[in-house]
Amino acid sequence: MSDAPDRAALDELARCREEIERIDDQLVTLLARRMALGKKTGELKRLANLPILDPTREAAVIRRVSEVAREAGLPSEPIREVFWQIVGMSRRAQEVE
Amino acid sequence: MIIITRHNVTDAEIDHIRERIESVGMRTHLSRGEHRTIIGCIGDESLLQEVPLRSLPGVESVTPVLKPYKLASREFAVDRTVVRVGGRDAQASFGGPAITVIAGPCSVESHEMLSTTARLVRAAGATMLRGGAYKPRSSPYAFQGLGAEALRILVDVRAETGMPVVTEVMDTRQVDLVAEHSDMLQVGARNMQNFALLAELGRVRRPVLLKRGLSATIKELLMAAEYIMANGNHDVVLCERGIRTYETATRNTLDIAAIPVLKRETHLPVIVDPSHAGGDAALVAPLAFAAIAAGADGLIVEVHPDPECALSDGDQSLAPPAFATMMQQLHAFAAAAGRSISVAAPAPRAVA
Protein backbone atom coordinates (compact mmCIF):
# COMPACT_ATOMS: atom_id res chain seq x y z
CA MET A 1 0.00 0.00 0.00
CA SER A 2 1.41 3.40 -0.95
CA ASP A 3 1.48 6.20 1.62
CA ALA A 4 -0.22 8.78 -0.70
CA PRO A 5 -3.92 9.08 0.17
CA ASP A 6 -6.37 8.43 -2.67
CA ARG A 7 -7.91 11.88 -3.37
CA ALA A 8 -11.20 10.51 -4.76
CA ALA A 9 -11.64 8.14 -1.81
CA LEU A 10 -11.02 11.00 0.64
CA ASP A 11 -13.62 13.19 -1.09
CA GLU A 12 -16.15 10.39 -1.05
CA LEU A 13 -15.36 9.76 2.66
CA ALA A 14 -16.05 13.43 3.44
CA ARG A 15 -19.37 13.26 1.57
CA CYS A 16 -20.39 10.10 3.44
CA ARG A 17 -19.55 11.77 6.75
CA GLU A 18 -21.67 14.80 5.87
CA GLU A 19 -24.58 12.52 5.01
CA ILE A 20 -24.10 10.65 8.32
CA GLU A 21 -24.25 13.96 10.19
CA ARG A 22 -27.49 14.89 8.43
CA ILE A 23 -28.97 11.52 9.43
CA ASP A 24 -27.77 12.01 13.02
CA ASP A 25 -29.53 15.39 13.10
CA GLN A 26 -32.72 13.71 11.94
CA LEU A 27 -32.33 10.96 14.55
CA VAL A 28 -31.95 13.52 17.32
CA THR A 29 -34.98 15.48 16.05
CA LEU A 30 -37.02 12.28 15.99
CA LEU A 31 -35.83 11.36 19.49
CA ALA A 32 -36.91 14.80 20.73
CA ARG A 33 -40.36 14.22 19.23
CA ARG A 34 -40.50 10.76 20.79
CA MET A 35 -39.53 12.19 24.19
CA ALA A 36 -42.25 14.87 23.94
CA LEU A 37 -44.83 12.17 23.21
CA GLY A 38 -43.44 10.11 26.07
CA LYS A 39 -43.95 13.04 28.45
CA LYS A 40 -47.50 13.42 27.19
CA THR A 41 -48.24 9.71 27.79
CA GLY A 42 -46.84 10.22 31.30
CA GLU A 43 -49.37 12.99 31.95
CA LEU A 44 -52.18 10.87 30.49
CA LYS A 45 -51.16 7.91 32.66
CA ARG A 46 -51.35 10.17 35.72
CA LEU A 47 -54.83 11.39 34.68
CA ALA A 48 -55.94 7.78 34.11
CA ASN A 49 -54.42 6.76 37.47
CA LEU A 50 -52.01 4.31 35.82
CA PRO A 51 -48.48 3.61 37.01
CA ILE A 52 -45.65 5.24 35.00
CA LEU A 53 -43.66 2.00 34.85
CA ASP A 54 -45.39 -0.38 32.47
CA PRO A 55 -43.09 -3.37 31.82
CA THR A 56 -45.66 -5.09 29.59
CA ARG A 57 -45.77 -2.09 27.26
CA GLU A 58 -41.97 -1.73 27.31
CA ALA A 59 -41.55 -5.42 26.41
CA ALA A 60 -44.05 -5.04 23.55
CA VAL A 61 -42.17 -1.98 22.21
CA ILE A 62 -38.89 -3.92 22.25
CA ARG A 63 -40.42 -6.99 20.60
CA ARG A 64 -41.95 -4.83 17.86
CA VAL A 65 -38.73 -2.98 17.03
CA SER A 66 -36.70 -6.19 16.95
CA GLU A 67 -39.14 -7.50 14.32
CA VAL A 68 -38.92 -4.27 12.34
CA ALA A 69 -35.12 -4.39 12.56
CA ARG A 70 -35.00 -7.95 11.27
CA GLU A 71 -37.28 -7.06 8.37
CA ALA A 72 -34.94 -4.18 7.55
CA GLY A 73 -32.01 -6.61 7.50
CA LEU A 74 -30.46 -5.20 10.70
CA PRO A 75 -29.12 -7.35 13.56
CA SER A 76 -31.88 -7.27 16.18
CA GLU A 77 -29.70 -7.58 19.32
CA PRO A 78 -27.96 -4.17 19.02
CA ILE A 79 -31.27 -2.57 18.01
CA ARG A 80 -32.87 -4.00 21.14
CA GLU A 81 -30.06 -2.47 23.23
CA VAL A 82 -30.55 0.92 21.61
CA PHE A 83 -34.28 0.78 22.24
CA TRP A 84 -33.90 -0.28 25.87
CA GLN A 85 -31.89 2.94 26.24
CA ILE A 86 -34.59 4.99 24.49
CA VAL A 87 -37.40 3.38 26.49
CA GLY A 88 -35.44 4.02 29.70
CA MET A 89 -34.85 7.66 28.74
CA SER A 90 -38.56 8.10 28.03
CA ARG A 91 -39.54 6.47 31.33
CA ARG A 92 -37.21 8.76 33.28
CA ALA A 93 -38.68 11.80 31.52
CA GLN A 94 -42.17 10.65 32.47
CA GLU A 95 -41.18 10.17 36.09
CA VAL A 96 -40.22 13.86 36.35
CA GLU A 97 -43.43 15.80 36.82
CA MET B 1 -33.15 -18.88 35.13
CA ILE B 2 -32.16 -20.04 31.68
CA ILE B 3 -34.46 -21.17 28.92
CA ILE B 4 -33.15 -23.66 26.39
CA THR B 5 -35.11 -23.46 23.17
CA ARG B 6 -36.09 -26.22 20.79
CA HIS B 7 -33.80 -27.00 17.88
CA ASN B 8 -36.23 -25.55 15.30
CA VAL B 9 -37.27 -22.46 17.27
CA THR B 10 -38.28 -19.48 15.11
CA ASP B 11 -37.31 -15.83 15.57
CA ALA B 12 -40.96 -15.02 16.30
CA GLU B 13 -41.06 -17.65 19.07
CA ILE B 14 -37.86 -16.29 20.60
CA ASP B 15 -39.33 -12.76 20.45
CA HIS B 16 -42.48 -14.00 22.18
CA ILE B 17 -40.57 -15.81 24.95
CA ARG B 18 -38.46 -12.71 25.59
CA GLU B 19 -41.50 -10.45 25.59
CA ARG B 20 -43.22 -12.61 28.22
CA ILE B 21 -40.12 -12.46 30.46
CA GLU B 22 -39.57 -8.74 29.91
CA SER B 23 -43.26 -8.05 30.60
CA VAL B 24 -42.69 -8.78 34.28
CA GLY B 25 -39.79 -6.32 34.43
CA MET B 26 -36.88 -8.69 33.87
CA ARG B 27 -34.28 -8.50 31.11
CA THR B 28 -33.12 -11.23 28.75
CA HIS B 29 -29.82 -12.19 27.21
CA LEU B 30 -29.60 -14.30 24.08
CA SER B 31 -26.82 -16.78 23.36
CA ARG B 32 -27.05 -18.51 20.00
CA GLY B 33 -25.06 -21.61 19.12
CA GLU B 34 -25.08 -23.78 16.06
CA HIS B 35 -27.52 -26.28 17.51
CA ARG B 36 -29.25 -24.51 20.34
CA THR B 37 -30.16 -21.12 21.69
CA ILE B 38 -30.23 -20.09 25.33
CA ILE B 39 -32.31 -17.23 26.69
CA GLY B 40 -30.94 -16.05 30.02
CA CYS B 41 -33.24 -14.19 32.42
CA ILE B 42 -31.75 -11.37 34.45
CA GLY B 43 -33.44 -9.79 37.43
CA ASP B 44 -35.66 -10.86 40.34
CA GLU B 45 -36.61 -14.45 39.47
CA SER B 46 -39.60 -14.50 41.82
CA LEU B 47 -41.32 -12.28 39.23
CA LEU B 48 -41.37 -15.23 36.82
CA GLN B 49 -43.56 -17.42 39.06
CA GLU B 50 -46.70 -16.37 37.21
CA VAL B 51 -45.24 -16.92 33.73
CA PRO B 52 -45.91 -20.41 32.28
CA LEU B 53 -42.44 -20.56 30.70
CA ARG B 54 -42.43 -24.30 30.03
CA SER B 55 -45.60 -24.14 27.94
CA LEU B 56 -44.48 -21.27 25.68
CA PRO B 57 -43.94 -22.33 22.06
CA GLY B 58 -40.30 -23.02 21.26
CA VAL B 59 -39.24 -23.76 24.86
CA GLU B 60 -37.43 -27.04 25.40
CA SER B 61 -36.48 -26.70 29.07
CA VAL B 62 -36.24 -24.20 31.89
CA THR B 63 -33.39 -24.42 34.40
CA PRO B 64 -32.80 -22.26 37.44
CA VAL B 65 -29.30 -20.76 37.78
CA LEU B 66 -28.59 -21.07 41.48
CA LYS B 67 -25.31 -19.14 41.34
CA PRO B 68 -25.32 -15.44 42.20
CA TYR B 69 -23.58 -14.65 38.91
CA LYS B 70 -25.78 -15.08 35.86
CA LEU B 71 -24.28 -13.43 32.76
CA ALA B 72 -20.84 -14.76 33.71
CA SER B 73 -22.03 -18.29 34.48
CA ARG B 74 -21.18 -21.17 32.17
CA GLU B 75 -24.89 -22.04 31.81
CA PHE B 76 -25.75 -18.64 30.31
CA ALA B 77 -23.74 -19.11 27.12
CA VAL B 78 -23.98 -21.87 24.55
CA ASP B 79 -20.29 -21.65 23.66
CA ARG B 80 -17.22 -20.36 25.46
CA THR B 81 -16.69 -16.67 24.86
CA VAL B 82 -13.88 -15.55 22.61
CA VAL B 83 -12.88 -11.98 23.47
CA ARG B 84 -11.45 -10.10 20.51
CA VAL B 85 -9.11 -7.22 21.22
CA GLY B 86 -8.01 -4.38 18.95
CA GLY B 87 -8.95 -3.68 15.37
CA ARG B 88 -7.79 -4.55 11.91
CA ASP B 89 -4.44 -2.85 12.40
CA ALA B 90 -3.58 -4.62 15.68
CA GLN B 91 -5.48 -7.61 16.99
CA ALA B 92 -5.47 -10.43 19.50
CA SER B 93 -8.05 -12.76 20.96
CA PHE B 94 -8.61 -14.75 24.14
CA GLY B 95 -10.55 -17.96 24.59
CA GLY B 96 -10.03 -19.50 21.14
CA PRO B 97 -7.89 -22.53 20.40
CA ALA B 98 -4.64 -20.52 20.55
CA ILE B 99 -3.00 -19.19 23.70
CA THR B 100 -2.31 -15.45 23.68
CA VAL B 101 0.69 -14.04 25.48
CA ILE B 102 0.75 -10.42 26.64
CA ALA B 103 4.17 -9.09 27.58
CA GLY B 104 5.78 -5.79 28.42
CA PRO B 105 7.11 -3.67 31.23
CA CYS B 106 5.38 -3.08 34.53
CA SER B 107 5.29 0.62 33.76
CA VAL B 108 5.98 2.69 30.67
CA GLU B 109 9.19 4.55 31.46
CA SER B 110 9.99 6.14 28.07
CA HIS B 111 9.24 5.73 24.37
CA GLU B 112 12.59 4.14 23.69
CA MET B 113 12.24 1.66 26.52
CA LEU B 114 8.72 0.60 25.52
CA SER B 115 9.57 0.40 21.84
CA THR B 116 12.65 -1.76 22.50
CA THR B 117 10.71 -4.07 24.81
CA ALA B 118 7.81 -4.37 22.36
CA ARG B 119 10.07 -5.38 19.47
CA LEU B 120 11.87 -7.94 21.60
CA VAL B 121 8.76 -9.56 23.08
CA ARG B 122 7.08 -9.58 19.69
CA ALA B 123 10.05 -11.35 18.15
CA ALA B 124 9.82 -13.90 20.97
CA GLY B 125 6.14 -14.59 20.23
CA ALA B 126 4.05 -12.20 22.35
CA THR B 127 1.07 -10.83 20.41
CA MET B 128 -0.05 -8.14 22.81
CA LEU B 129 1.76 -5.42 24.73
CA ARG B 130 1.26 -4.41 28.35
CA GLY B 131 2.53 -1.24 30.00
CA GLY B 132 1.34 0.68 33.03
CA ALA B 133 0.52 4.38 32.72
CA TYR B 134 -1.11 4.79 36.12
CA LYS B 135 0.46 2.59 38.77
CA PRO B 136 -1.30 1.56 41.97
CA ARG B 137 1.78 1.39 44.19
CA SER B 138 1.64 0.18 47.76
CA SER B 139 3.60 3.27 48.79
CA PRO B 140 2.56 6.84 47.92
CA TYR B 141 6.28 7.67 47.65
CA ALA B 142 7.00 5.07 44.95
CA PHE B 143 7.01 5.89 41.19
CA GLN B 144 3.35 6.44 40.23
CA GLY B 145 3.61 6.09 36.45
CA LEU B 146 3.85 8.61 33.63
CA GLY B 147 0.07 8.95 33.24
CA ALA B 148 -1.19 10.60 30.05
CA GLU B 149 2.32 10.76 28.58
CA ALA B 150 2.57 6.97 28.92
CA LEU B 151 -0.75 6.61 27.10
CA ARG B 152 0.63 8.56 24.15
CA ILE B 153 3.74 6.37 24.10
CA LEU B 154 1.53 3.25 24.10
CA VAL B 155 -0.35 4.57 21.05
CA ASP B 156 2.91 5.24 19.20
CA VAL B 157 4.41 1.84 19.95
CA ARG B 158 1.13 0.14 19.02
CA ALA B 159 1.35 1.80 15.60
CA GLU B 160 5.02 0.83 15.21
CA THR B 161 4.55 -2.83 16.09
CA GLY B 162 0.91 -3.68 15.31
CA MET B 163 0.54 -5.03 18.85
CA PRO B 164 -2.71 -4.17 20.65
CA VAL B 165 -2.08 -2.68 24.09
CA VAL B 166 -3.54 -3.24 27.54
CA THR B 167 -3.08 -0.78 30.38
CA GLU B 168 -4.54 -0.37 33.83
CA VAL B 169 -7.31 2.07 34.65
CA MET B 170 -7.55 3.00 38.33
CA ASP B 171 -10.25 5.59 38.53
CA THR B 172 -13.65 6.23 36.94
CA ARG B 173 -12.35 9.65 35.83
CA GLN B 174 -9.65 7.98 33.69
CA VAL B 175 -11.89 5.49 31.89
CA ASP B 176 -12.63 7.53 28.74
CA LEU B 177 -9.04 8.72 28.35
CA VAL B 178 -7.56 5.26 28.80
CA ALA B 179 -10.18 3.69 26.50
CA GLU B 180 -9.25 6.18 23.80
CA HIS B 181 -5.57 5.20 23.98
CA SER B 182 -5.70 1.43 24.48
CA ASP B 183 -7.31 -1.73 23.13
CA MET B 184 -8.06 -3.35 26.47
CA LEU B 185 -8.59 -1.89 29.94
CA GLN B 186 -7.08 -3.63 32.93
CA VAL B 187 -8.64 -3.61 36.37
CA GLY B 188 -5.88 -4.28 38.88
CA ALA B 189 -6.16 -6.68 41.79
CA ARG B 190 -6.59 -3.82 44.24
CA ASN B 191 -9.54 -2.44 42.31
CA MET B 192 -11.35 -5.73 41.70
CA GLN B 193 -14.19 -4.70 43.99
CA ASN B 194 -14.23 -1.00 43.06
CA PHE B 195 -17.84 -1.28 41.97
CA ALA B 196 -18.10 2.27 40.65
CA LEU B 197 -15.14 1.57 38.35
CA LEU B 198 -16.59 -1.81 37.28
CA ALA B 199 -19.94 -0.21 36.44
CA GLU B 200 -18.20 2.50 34.40
CA LEU B 201 -16.25 -0.16 32.48
CA GLY B 202 -19.56 -1.81 31.67
CA ARG B 203 -20.41 1.24 29.59
CA VAL B 204 -17.29 1.34 27.41
CA ARG B 205 -16.82 -0.59 24.22
CA ARG B 206 -13.42 -2.02 25.08
CA PRO B 207 -12.63 -5.47 26.47
CA VAL B 208 -11.69 -5.57 30.15
CA LEU B 209 -8.90 -7.59 31.75
CA LEU B 210 -10.13 -8.21 35.28
CA LYS B 211 -7.50 -9.31 37.78
CA ARG B 212 -8.43 -11.31 40.83
CA GLY B 213 -8.10 -9.42 44.10
CA LEU B 214 -5.36 -10.41 46.55
CA SER B 215 -7.87 -11.87 48.98
CA ALA B 216 -10.82 -12.41 46.68
CA THR B 217 -12.61 -15.72 46.33
CA ILE B 218 -13.42 -17.13 42.90
CA LYS B 219 -17.07 -16.26 43.53
CA GLU B 220 -16.13 -12.64 44.28
CA LEU B 221 -14.07 -12.49 41.07
CA LEU B 222 -17.04 -13.76 39.08
CA MET B 223 -19.37 -11.28 40.80
CA ALA B 224 -16.96 -8.50 39.80
CA ALA B 225 -17.15 -9.73 36.18
CA GLU B 226 -20.94 -9.83 36.52
CA TYR B 227 -20.88 -6.12 37.48
CA ILE B 228 -19.15 -5.20 34.24
CA MET B 229 -21.41 -7.47 32.18
CA ALA B 230 -24.63 -6.33 33.85
CA ASN B 231 -23.71 -2.79 32.82
CA GLY B 232 -23.47 -3.79 29.18
CA ASN B 233 -19.90 -4.91 28.46
CA HIS B 234 -19.68 -8.67 27.92
CA ASP B 235 -16.03 -8.73 26.81
CA VAL B 236 -14.32 -9.65 30.06
CA VAL B 237 -11.13 -11.69 30.43
CA LEU B 238 -10.38 -13.00 33.93
CA CYS B 239 -6.86 -13.08 35.33
CA GLU B 240 -5.52 -15.23 38.17
CA ARG B 241 -2.49 -13.43 39.63
CA GLY B 242 -1.88 -15.16 42.94
CA ILE B 243 -3.61 -14.78 46.26
CA ARG B 244 -2.41 -13.91 49.74
CA THR B 245 -1.65 -16.91 51.91
CA TYR B 246 0.54 -17.60 54.96
CA GLU B 247 3.43 -18.52 52.64
CA THR B 248 6.21 -15.93 52.60
CA ALA B 249 8.67 -17.65 50.25
CA THR B 250 6.69 -16.26 47.31
CA ARG B 251 5.03 -12.87 47.00
CA ASN B 252 1.63 -14.50 46.47
CA THR B 253 0.45 -18.06 45.99
CA LEU B 254 -0.62 -18.82 42.42
CA ASP B 255 -3.99 -20.52 42.71
CA ILE B 256 -3.62 -23.07 39.92
CA ALA B 257 -6.90 -24.74 40.88
CA ALA B 258 -8.68 -21.46 40.11
CA ILE B 259 -8.08 -22.07 36.39
CA PRO B 260 -10.07 -25.32 36.01
CA VAL B 261 -12.64 -24.09 38.54
CA LEU B 262 -13.18 -20.88 36.55
CA LYS B 263 -13.37 -22.88 33.33
CA ARG B 264 -16.15 -24.92 34.91
CA GLU B 265 -18.02 -21.93 36.34
CA THR B 266 -17.81 -19.42 33.49
CA HIS B 267 -17.70 -19.11 29.72
CA LEU B 268 -15.24 -16.20 30.00
CA PRO B 269 -11.56 -16.65 29.05
CA VAL B 270 -9.06 -17.07 31.89
CA ILE B 271 -5.43 -15.96 31.77
CA VAL B 272 -2.63 -16.04 34.35
CA ASP B 273 -0.08 -13.49 35.53
CA PRO B 274 2.93 -15.55 36.64
CA SER B 275 4.99 -12.39 37.34
CA HIS B 276 2.90 -10.96 40.17
CA ALA B 277 2.01 -14.41 41.47
CA GLY B 278 5.58 -15.36 42.34
CA GLY B 279 7.11 -11.90 42.61
CA ASP B 280 10.39 -13.42 41.44
CA ALA B 281 11.77 -13.65 37.87
CA ALA B 282 13.01 -17.21 38.53
CA LEU B 283 9.43 -18.38 39.20
CA VAL B 284 7.83 -16.86 36.09
CA ALA B 285 8.55 -19.69 33.63
CA PRO B 286 7.54 -22.63 35.88
CA LEU B 287 4.33 -20.85 36.91
CA ALA B 288 3.58 -20.00 33.27
CA PHE B 289 4.06 -23.66 32.27
CA ALA B 290 1.78 -24.82 35.09
CA ALA B 291 -0.87 -22.28 34.07
CA ILE B 292 -0.95 -23.43 30.47
CA ALA B 293 -0.97 -27.09 31.52
CA ALA B 294 -3.97 -26.35 33.76
CA GLY B 295 -5.94 -24.87 30.85
CA ALA B 296 -5.30 -21.11 30.92
CA ASP B 297 -6.19 -19.21 27.71
CA GLY B 298 -3.24 -16.86 27.96
CA LEU B 299 -0.51 -15.23 30.03
CA ILE B 300 0.43 -11.70 30.99
CA VAL B 301 4.15 -11.46 31.68
CA GLU B 302 6.33 -8.58 32.84
CA VAL B 303 9.40 -8.08 30.66
CA HIS B 304 11.90 -5.25 31.09
CA PRO B 305 14.90 -4.63 28.81
CA ASP B 306 17.02 -4.03 31.91
CA PRO B 307 15.24 -5.43 34.99
CA GLU B 308 17.94 -4.11 37.33
CA CYS B 309 17.08 -0.54 36.37
CA ALA B 310 13.27 -0.92 36.29
CA LEU B 311 11.41 1.88 38.05
CA SER B 312 8.90 -0.66 39.40
CA ASP B 313 8.70 -4.42 39.97
CA GLY B 314 12.23 -5.16 38.68
CA ASP B 315 12.52 -8.30 40.80
CA GLN B 316 9.76 -10.10 38.97
CA SER B 317 10.51 -8.82 35.46
CA LEU B 318 12.10 -11.15 32.96
CA ALA B 319 14.93 -9.92 30.75
CA PRO B 320 14.09 -10.38 27.05
CA PRO B 321 16.38 -13.43 26.52
CA ALA B 322 14.77 -15.26 29.46
CA PHE B 323 11.35 -14.41 28.06
CA ALA B 324 12.33 -15.76 24.63
CA THR B 325 13.54 -19.03 26.19
CA MET B 326 10.32 -19.37 28.16
CA MET B 327 8.23 -18.77 25.02
CA GLN B 328 10.10 -21.52 23.18
CA GLN B 329 9.53 -24.00 26.00
CA LEU B 330 5.89 -22.99 26.26
CA HIS B 331 4.99 -24.66 22.95
CA ALA B 332 5.39 -28.15 24.40
CA PHE B 333 3.08 -27.33 27.33
CA ALA B 334 0.50 -25.79 24.99
CA ALA B 335 0.62 -28.87 22.75
CA ALA B 336 0.19 -31.14 25.79
CA ALA B 337 -2.93 -29.15 26.72
CA GLY B 338 -4.25 -29.49 23.16
CA ARG B 339 -3.57 -25.84 22.35
CA SER B 340 -1.20 -23.77 20.27
CA ILE B 341 0.50 -20.42 20.87
CA SER B 342 -1.05 -17.48 19.04
CA VAL B 343 1.18 -16.06 16.31
CA ALA B 344 1.66 -12.35 15.65
CA ALA B 345 0.41 -10.93 12.36
CA PRO B 346 3.04 -9.28 10.15
CA ALA B 347 4.09 -5.91 11.55
CA PRO B 348 2.73 -2.78 9.81
CA ARG B 349 6.27 -1.58 9.21
CA ALA B 350 9.54 -3.44 9.24
CA VAL B 351 10.31 -4.44 12.80
CA ALA B 352 13.94 -4.93 13.57
Side-chain angles (χ1 to χ4, degrees):
Chain A
M1 221 173 81
S2 81
D3 284 345
D6 180 337
R7 198 64 244 167
L10 285 179
D11 289 347
E12 184 61 18
L13 178 65
R15 269 195 297 278
C16 283
R17 284 181 171 159
E18 272 174 34
E19 180 68 16
I20 286 172
E21 282 177 9
R22 271 196 295 277
I23 292 172
D24 287 347
D25 292 349
Q26 290 171 26
L27 285 173
V28 174
T29 309
L30 287 171
L31 280 173
R33 272 175 59 193
R34 197 191 187 286
M35 293 295 285
L37 279 169
K39 274 195 171 155
K40 193 172 166 189
T41 58
E43 284 156 22
L44 293 170
K45 281 181 199 171
R46 258 186 279 276
L47 284 174
N49 246 338
L50 292 168
I52 294 294
L53 175 64
D54 184 352
T56 308
R57 172 68 190 153
E58 290 186 359
V61 168
I62 301 296
R63 194 218 358 98
R64 208 185 73 81
V65 292
S66 46
E67 275 171 20
V68 174
R70 251 198 321 272
E71 279 161 22
L74 288 170
S76 59
E77 285 310 301
I79 297 290
R80 285 175 63 97
E81 276 179 44
V82 167
F83 273 86
W84 273 120
Q85 293 290 336
I86 294 174
V87 164
M89 202 161 77
S90 176
R91 188 197 320 124
R92 284 189 293 278
Q94 291 179 35
E95 279 161 357
V96 185
E97 272 185 77
Chain B
M1 197 85 82
I2 59 163
I3 293 154
I4 297 164
T5 61
R6 287 189 205 285
H7 175 57
N8 55 359
V9 68
T10 64
D11 285 337
E13 284 169 342
I14 291 176
D15 279 349
H16 180 66
I17 298 165
R18 297 178 85 175
E19 184 181 3
R20 288 302 300 267
I21 298 162
E22 288 165 352
S23 287
V24 298
M26 291 187 78
R27 290 295 179 87
T28 61
H29 174 258
L30 195 72
S31 174
R32 264 182 207 273
E34 206 177 319
H35 299 295
R36 58 180 197 153
T37 297
I38 292 174
I39 300 171
C41 310
I42 307 142
D44 177 4
E45 293 200 349
S46 65
L47 295 168
L48 282 173
Q49 279 166 0
E50 305 296 310
V51 185
L53 290 172
R54 277 183 185 79
S55 58
L56 295 179
V59 173
E60 167 126 350
S61 63
V62 179
T63 318
V65 177
L66 302 172
K67 315 235 166 64
Y69 38 90
K70 312 287 178 192
L71 291 166
S73 77
R74 185 68 191 88
E75 292 92 330
F76 248 63
V78 175
D79 300 310
R80 291 200 177 276
T81 292
V82 177
V83 173
R84 291 177 206 289
V85 179
R88 252 200 328 200
D89 50 343
Q91 54 185 310
S93 68
F94 296 89
I99 285 155
T100 295
V101 179
I102 309 171
C106 173
S107 48
V108 176
E109 295 169 13
S110 69
H111 180 276
E112 191 200 349
M113 172 265 193
L114 188 70
S115 179
T116 307
T117 313
R119 284 154 201 268
L120 291 167
V121 297
R122 192 178 189 286
T127 45
M128 214 173 139
L129 183 65
R130 60 152 293 150
Y134 302 94
K135 298 304 301 175
R137 304 304 299 283
S138 302
S139 162
Y141 309 116
F143 173 61
Q144 304 286 314
L146 293 182
E149 191 190 336
L151 295 176
R152 283 189 291 274
I153 295 172
L154 281 167
V155 170
D156 289 346
V157 175
R158 177 192 192 277
E160 285 169 24
T161 59
M163 295 172 90
V165 299
V166 56
T167 194
E168 179 165 350
V169 56
M170 285 171 50
D171 189 306
T172 52
R173 289 169 297 182
Q174 297 163 348
V175 169
D176 288 339
L177 182 70
V178 176
E180 214 174 287
H181 291 80
S182 63
D183 300 285
M184 189 181 209
L185 303 172
Q186 178 180 316
V187 177
R190 285 162 187 79
N191 264 323
M192 191 204 83
Q193 286 186 316
N194 179 342
F195 297 118
L197 180 63
L198 299 178
E200 194 61 32
L201 290 168
R203 292 181 195 105
V204 298
R205 291 285 166 263
R206 282 274 185 281
V208 175
L209 177 60
L210 178 65
K211 297 189 96 175
R212 181 180 180 183
L214 281 74
S215 306
T217 63
I218 289 171
K219 189 164 118 183
E220 286 164 343
L221 171 62
L222 288 169
M223 288 309 286
E226 187 80 11
Y227 244 93
I228 300 169
M229 298 172 87
N231 281 283
N233 188 351
H234 288 227
D235 286 332
V236 180
V237 174
L238 305 170
C239 181
E240 160 61 34
R241 45 79 71 206
I243 50 175
R244 187 160 280 187
T245 67
Y246 53 79
E247 182 55 70
T248 53
T250 53
R251 180 164 148 186
N252 296 288
T253 298
L254 181 64
D255 184 6
I256 284 286
I259 303 161
V261 170
L262 284 167
K263 288 281 181 177
R264 185 186 70 206
E265 296 294 310
T266 181
H267 54 88
L268 298 172
V270 179
I271 71 166
V272 166
D273 176 346
S275 308
H276 283 87
D280 177 351
L283 297 175
V284 173
L287 294 181
F289 301 153
I292 297 307
D297 296 302
L299 297 169
I300 178 163
V301 182
E302 288 195 350
V303 179
H304 194 285
D306 185 5
E308 272 184 39
C309 299
L311 292 179
S312 54
D313 283 352
D315 294 343
Q316 66 194 36
S317 291
L318 287 182
F323 176 71
T325 306
M326 182 193 89
M327 288 298 287
Q328 277 180 353
Q329 293 170 323
L330 206 57
H331 286 279
F333 290 91
R339 311 284 287 268
S340 59
I341 307 280
S342 177
V343 186
R349 290 182 223 155
V351 173

